[in-house]
Amino acid sequence: MIHMEKNEVWFITGSQHLYGEATLAEVRKNASAIVSELNRQGAMPVMMVFKEVLTTRAAITNLMLKANSNKNCIGIITWMHTFSPAKMWINGIKQLKKPILHLHTQFNRDIPWESIDMDFMNLNQSAHGGREYGFILSRMRRDRKVVVGHWQDEAVQARISAWMRAAMAWHDWQGMRVARFGDNMREVAVTEGDKVQAELKFGYSVSGYGVGDLVASVNSVSDQQVKEHLALLEKSFDLAPAIVQGGTHRSNLEEAARIELGMQSFLEEGGFKAFTTTFEDLHGLKQLPGHAVQRLMAAGYGFGAEGDWKTAALVRAMKVMGHGLPGGTSFMEDYTYHLKPGGMKVLGAHMLEICPSIARDKPSMEVHELGIGGKDDPLRLVFDVEKGPGLNASLVDMGGRFRLILNPCEVVEADRPLPNLPVARVLWVPEPDLPTAAEAWIHAGGAHHTGFSMSVNAEMMEDFADIAGIETLFIDKDTKIRTFKNELRWNDLYYHLSGGLNH
């Protein structure tokens, strides 16, 4: 249920009339060629659309307003092929509501040493045209991404692609609905937050529903629908002996299938893209909907446990960012540590609700006692995760602002098998090491819930935070606690004062 096919990024080129029509025609030809070639290569996650070369204040403003009203436009890439006096851009930039990437490139890669003349110099002025344009965006304190280098370089294309993916996720958040089944887990602090401020800041809304609303949807699922769904599940997963036809816990599988279908129907009918549950509010449900959550996350929904709507929205954004890339994204929790000197690592899990998009192999479908919640033994998918680079992200409400915390990690093998842990699980070593990462995370107020991804990288998340206009903190290989604590203090001061700076 992630559909990005109609998304597009507009490619806008700046120039001026001073150079004459012949030069402007060449500017138009070059800009169009860049767009055509990047689209042909398939290097970008969405289609780039060439727009006319802009040379006047009115044309710039008009195009920015069109970008605002176009439901498929997720952002604009601006390139100053020549010098484009930046006062022309002020009103248009003031009006623009979409993300901006400033591509500081030039059509040619190399200086033509033997043939270069003033005609060539007049045409290829990105070196200082981009600085003029960059000044006005800085003067206006407009957040944007700046990418420097030749447009055909893979590193440049990768950075543009990362920004596009962030813009996709931001676009998806605008008008997004999050369903909250039940309230927050009682007495838990970090999963609370200001839902009104979140809608003002991020564009998505959070709507609460009693679990009875979900139960009604579950009860409306027919026996025939359950039968057909069971056939699908039996083809897709390795079923434990207890839940095959005639098994002792077959009814648990049937009930889990009914819950999944009912929850999916509720979300589809309401147009929701993310949701939360809490095991403290399951009245009318026979089991914790862990399997349903796993399946719906795999389909693209965001999820947060215990009423954690911020993480549900974050997981959805990360799923959109990583759409089509290898790896996957899941709701996650730092569950327990392995503190052996020289081999410290984190065991991540969450009772049942880990997305199989990150599974190493075909998951096993099993029923086991949960030991919490006081309900029937729930169905779940059990699996391990492939080794490789990962990322944990936490979005927290600090009272006066939102903060995004990022911690890259390396997924590793377990030291020994885990035969008595019947849940989906992943082990990782956080950067720069577990003690430093955990200490910095705690100083930053990071949540115990995260969005965990092996498809989304830190650059995408940083771009997303810049578009959203929120604080970003990196806990990575360069982190030192003393410096990190100072960064927290400086950020507190900056964000306290930044409201005045932006007016």
Side-chain angles (χ1 to χ4, degrees):
M1 48 83 67
I2 297 176
H3 303 290
M4 300 290 121
E5 297 83 4
K6 294 182 179 180
N7 284 358
E8 58 190 39
V9 168
W10 290 7
F11 192 93
I12 298 171
T13 310
S15 188
Q16 61 178 327
H17 283 296
L18 180 66
Y19 306 111
E21 287 304 315
T23 298
L24 289 177
E26 191 68 22
V27 168
R28 191 175 298 111
K29 176 183 174 182
N30 291 347
S32 178
I34 290 175
V35 172
S36 296
E37 180 61 18
L38 291 179
N39 283 335
R40 186 194 67 80
Q41 291 178 6
M44 302 300 151
V46 300
M47 185 68 66
M48 295 176 65
V49 177
F50 169 70
K51 292 296 179 179
E52 192 56 48
V53 177
L54 301 179
T55 58
T56 67
R57 184 189 308 268
I60 292 168
T61 299
N62 185 51
L63 191 59
M64 299 305 182
L65 292 174
K66 287 182 179 179
N68 286 344
S69 61
N70 188 292
K71 64 180 181 180
N72 296 327
C73 177
I74 65 172
I76 66 167
I77 295 175
T78 50
W79 174 42
M80 302 303 113
H81 192 315
T82 67
F83 195 82
S84 181
K87 286 173 65 177
M88 295 192 306
W89 291 83
I90 293 174
N91 191 53
I93 297 299
K94 282 175 60 179
Q95 303 293 331
L96 182 67
K97 305 298 183 184
K98 300 292 177 78
I100 304 174
L101 183 145
H102 176 188
L103 179 58
H104 193 54
T105 190
Q106 56 192 30
F107 188 68
N108 59 295
R109 190 192 69 177
D110 302 331
I111 293 175
W113 303 105
E114 301 298 329
S115 62
I116 187 170
D117 56 18
M118 284 310 301
D119 288 339
F120 182 93
M121 296 279 277
N122 285 333
L123 175 62
N124 298 282
Q125 299 189 56
S126 296
H128 66 290
R131 294 168 193 251
E132 164 75 358
Y133 173 69
F135 162 75
I136 205 62
L137 292 181
S138 294
R139 174 67 178 80
M140 297 173 70
R141 293 182 172 83
R142 175 62 192 245
D143 288 328
R144 76 282 193 190
K145 182 168 187 174
V146 179
V147 177
V148 180
H150 193 251
W151 59 275
Q152 289 183 318
D153 290 347
E154 289 185 5
V156 168
Q157 293 178 9
R159 296 198 67 207
I160 297 171
S161 177
W163 172 83
M164 280 188 176
R165 290 185 173 278
M168 286 162 50
W170 179 250
H171 183 73
D172 185 72
W173 264 16
Q174 306 314 299
M176 182 178 80
R177 301 189 69 200
V178 180
R180 203 176 191 218
F181 296 117
D183 199 353
N184 197 56
M185 183 178 174
R186 289 186 283 275
E187 310 301 340
V188 177
V190 76
T191 51
E192 289 282 18
D194 189 336
K195 293 187 285 291
V196 174
Q197 185 60 27
E199 186 165 358
L200 288 169
K201 187 70 176 175
F202 299 133
Y204 64 76
S205 62
V206 182
S207 301
Y209 293 89
V211 71
D213 295 321
L214 175 57
V215 170
S217 183
V218 170
N219 290 341
S220 70
V221 176
S222 69
D223 291 342
Q224 181 60 32
Q225 287 176 297
V226 172
K227 181 179 179 180
E228 293 172 359
H229 195 59
L230 289 175
L232 173 64
L233 295 177
E234 288 170 339
K235 291 179 181 179
S236 303
F237 303 101
D238 295 326
L239 271 61
I243 60 174
V244 298
Q245 187 69 43
T248 57
H249 286 80
R250 180 69 175 188
S251 61
N252 299 64
L253 170 61
E254 293 170 352
E255 186 60 28
R258 190 180 301 277
I259 292 173
E260 179 191 342
L261 292 172
M263 184 175 283
Q264 181 178 1
S265 176
F266 187 99
L267 296 173
E268 288 178 350
E269 290 176 7
F272 298 101
K273 296 179 181 178
F275 66 101
T276 74
T277 61
T278 171
F279 63 78
E280 286 187 329
D281 192 356
L282 297 174
H283 305 295
L285 292 176
K286 294 182 180 180
Q287 60 179 258
L288 181 71
H291 163 264
V293 170
Q294 289 181 297
R295 293 269 297 158
L296 289 167
M297 265 198 289
Y301 286 94
F303 172 75
E306 290 108 44
D308 190 352
W309 51 270
K310 295 186 296 298
T311 301
L314 180 64
V315 169
R316 168 65 184 190
M318 295 172 73
K319 283 187 171 291
V320 171
M321 272 184 256
H323 183 59
L325 295 176
T329 293
S330 178
F331 170 80
M332 188 58 68
E333 178 172 281
D334 294 50
Y335 223 98
T336 194
Y337 293 142
H338 184 61
L339 295 178
K340 180 181 179 181
M344 294 187 183
K345 53 183 70 76
V346 179
L347 173 59
H350 193 272
M351 295 190 297
L352 312 178
E353 305 103 334
I354 301 301
C355 180
S357 67
I358 63 172
R360 178 178 61 197
D361 302 308
K362 188 177 182 180
S364 171
M365 185 174 284
E366 305 175 15
V367 169
H368 297 274
E369 182 182 0
L370 184 61
I372 193 169
K375 292 288 182 177
D376 290 349
D377 297 341
L379 188 72
R380 80 286 304 274
L381 298 173
V382 179
F383 55 85
D384 293 298
V385 178
E386 187 62 79
K387 295 185 294 183
L391 177 74
N392 273 297
S394 175
L395 181 64
V396 293
D397 184 345
M398 297 304 294
R401 68 182 186 277
F402 292 95
R403 169 182 286 170
L404 181 66
I405 306 161
L406 304 174
N407 183 208
C409 64
E410 186 71 20
V411 176
V412 297
E413 291 275 5
D415 291 7
R416 288 188 293 276
L418 302 164
N420 296 311
L421 185 63
V423 295
R425 60 283 178 113
V426 54
L427 282 119
W428 68 80
V429 177
E431 291 185 0
D433 54 68
L434 195 156
T436 303
E439 184 176 348
W441 191 274
I442 290 169
H443 279 301
H448 57 286
H449 291 165
T450 65
F452 171 84
S453 185
M454 299 188 75
S455 59
V456 174
N457 61 36
E459 183 174 13
M460 297 177 199
M461 295 301 297
E462 182 180 20
D463 289 344
F464 183 76
D466 287 344
I467 292 170
I470 60 172
E471 177 187 12
T472 316
L473 291 170
F474 290 88
I475 303 171
D476 56 21
K477 58 184 177 58
D478 298 319
T479 296
K480 305 293 183 185
I481 293 298
R482 183 178 298 168
T483 303
F484 190 79
K485 289 169 68 176
N486 282 333
E487 183 180 357
L488 291 172
R489 297 183 184 107
W490 300 331
N491 285 7
D492 279 341
L493 180 61
Y494 168 78
Y495 283 98
H496 178 72
L497 298 173
S498 63
L501 290 173
N502 289 323
H503 293 288

